[in-house]
Structures are given as C-alpha cells and as structure tokens.
Amino acid sequence: TGEPKAITQSHRNVLHHIASYTNSLHLSAGDRLLLIASLGVDAAVQDIFGALLNGASMCPYDVRRNELGALAQWMAEEEITVFHATPSLYRYFVAALGEQPGRWSFPKLRLVVLGGEKVVPSDLELYKEHFEPGCLLVNGYGLSESTVSLQCFFDMAYENAGGSVPIGTPVEETEVLLLNAQGEPGQVCGEIAIASPYLAPGYWGRPQLTAAAFGPGPQRPGRRIYRTGDL
C-alpha cells in the first residue's frame, strides 16, 4: 500500500501485547497455534510469542511453498486450535474447503482469528458454514503503531443486522479518542487517535514523522497518543 514506514517496537510492548492477547483468547499450554503470517509483519509476533510464552505449540505452515488446498488436511492432523490469518487468506482457505464439502472437520479448532484487513458479512457466513459449533470468530483491528487496538468476538448464533461487521471495543489499557482541530477530545466527529502506554516508540530514522504522529495525550497523564490522520 506504499512505502513502509519502518515502525520500531520494544520488548516491553510485545510482552504487554502478548499478555492481552493471551487473556482475551484464553491461550494455554494445550493450544496449538497456526503460524502462516510472514515473519516480517506484526501478526507473526502474536502467533510466535502467543505460543512460546504460554508453553503452547507453534505450528508453522508455508503457504508459498505448500498448496493452500493441503492446509485443511494438515490442520486436522496437527489438531490446530487457533487459526490466525488475514481475511483474504481466510477466504482462499474456505474456498478450498468448499471444493471438498464434508471432507474436513476441525473438532479441536476453537478460534478463527482475523486481522489486518476489513472483515465483511460474508466472512461470518463462511465461518458458520465450515467450522464447528463451539468455534468462535475473532475480528481484530489495529495498526502496527499500536498493534491490536480493538477486538470483537462472534459465535454461531450471531446475526449481522447491518452492512458492516463490528470491530469491537478497545483492548486492555487502550483508548480510542476523537480529536477536534485543537487536538482536544471531541464528542461526535474528529481525527481518530489511540491513547496507550504501549504505543510504538516511533519510526526508525524518521524523527520528524515520529513527532507529527506521536505525542503526549490530552488529559491523559503518562499516556502518549498516536494520531492516525483519519476522521
């Protein structure tokens, strides 16, 4: 989508993020987390350290070298409990399942976690069609500057009444603000900003860009804000 900004992160922020990820997803040593994200993106951090820091199993699968159609059989054999992917890759995966209806089931799978792109109502319908009744779908949303900022959980009984899928509420120690032209929190309309003690330190080698995007939070002592530039 453009030139990478080279966002830096800290061990402290990763530990906080994985603690939040662990608590919200109830990760434990018995879980087996699928790793299909590129190691160069922050989604891989969730899967790698979400597994290793909980004594769980990390199960890497290379979708570039192996056929996506073989992923279903591999997941069933490996008894994957947490599937984490972008919505685009998820759609290709369930399309492959649709070509072999009734062949694969995933009784151990308890979470389908989507993030990195917009989730649409048809994604929910595909989830209901292809996964077991006890499995939940998680819509995670966030920027690399703040990692995951919001999460929303859905079960098989959820009925989507509108034309969009909710992205949920802020995760622990994260607040979403709407700032007016003076940089003060507004009520209805404004620039979207994220307040948290665990924002990225900034952009590598780009101090001016860092100063423009990150700063002290209004009326939020000890919390920096990240200004997204979006209304």
Side-chain angles (χ1 to χ4, degrees):
T1 57
E3 181 183 353
K5 295 179 181 177
I7 300 161
T8 64
Q9 270 297 356
S10 67
H11 290 179
R12 173 179 176 270
N13 287 1
V14 169
L15 285 171
H16 168 78
H17 169 56
I18 296 303
S20 177
Y21 195 62
T22 295
N23 293 338
S24 61
L25 271 58
H26 300 287
L27 299 179
S28 70
D31 277 311
R32 298 178 63 81
L33 281 71
L34 174 67
L35 172 62
I36 54 178
S38 167
L39 300 183
V41 299
D42 59 359
V45 173
Q46 296 173 238
D47 301 321
I48 294 171
F49 294 105
L52 300 183
L53 294 180
N54 285 292
S57 298
M58 180 186 67
C59 304
Y61 186 91
D62 191 336
V63 295
R64 288 172 290 186
R65 294 186 179 182
N66 302 305
E67 293 184 6
L68 192 59
L71 177 58
Q73 179 178 353
W74 184 86
M75 283 178 54
E77 293 172 351
E78 292 291 332
E79 298 185 334
I80 298 298
T81 63
V82 181
F83 174 97
H84 179 208
T86 61
S88 293
L89 188 55
Y90 161 80
R91 290 169 199 142
Y92 281 112
F93 173 64
V94 293
L97 292 179
E99 295 172 358
Q100 303 171 330
R103 183 173 178 183
W104 303 115
S105 63
F106 310 98
K108 300 290 186 179
L109 188 67
R110 63 183 190 84
L111 294 169
V112 173
V113 183
L114 303 181
E117 299 166 0
K118 182 179 179 179
V119 172
V120 297
S122 60
D123 295 327
L124 285 168
E125 298 307 313
L126 291 170
Y127 146 74
K128 294 180 182 181
E129 180 180 349
H130 292 288
F131 299 101
E132 303 294 323
C135 181
L136 299 177
L137 185 140
V138 185
N139 186 13
Y141 182 81
L143 305 159
S144 295
E145 287 87 346
S146 62
T147 317
V148 172
S149 300
L150 305 103
Q151 280 181 331
C152 197
F153 290 75
F154 305 93
D155 60 18
M156 294 289 175
Y158 177 78
E159 295 293 337
N160 187 45
S164 60
V165 177
I167 57 176
T169 55
V171 298
E172 183 179 359
E173 295 193 72
T174 297
E175 186 178 9
V176 177
L177 306 172
L178 297 180
L179 305 182
N180 61 21
Q182 290 73 42
E184 300 169 341
Q187 296 294 321
V188 178
C189 181
E191 180 185 3
I192 300 171
I194 299 169
S196 172
Y198 302 100
L199 297 176
Y203 302 108
W204 179 259
R206 305 181 73 176
Q208 292 182 336
L209 186 61
T210 297
F214 297 88
Q219 303 174 353
R220 303 295 190 279
R223 288 196 175 194
R224 296 164 63 234
I225 63 167
Y226 166 66
R227 301 184 66 145
T228 66
D230 296 325
L231 295 179

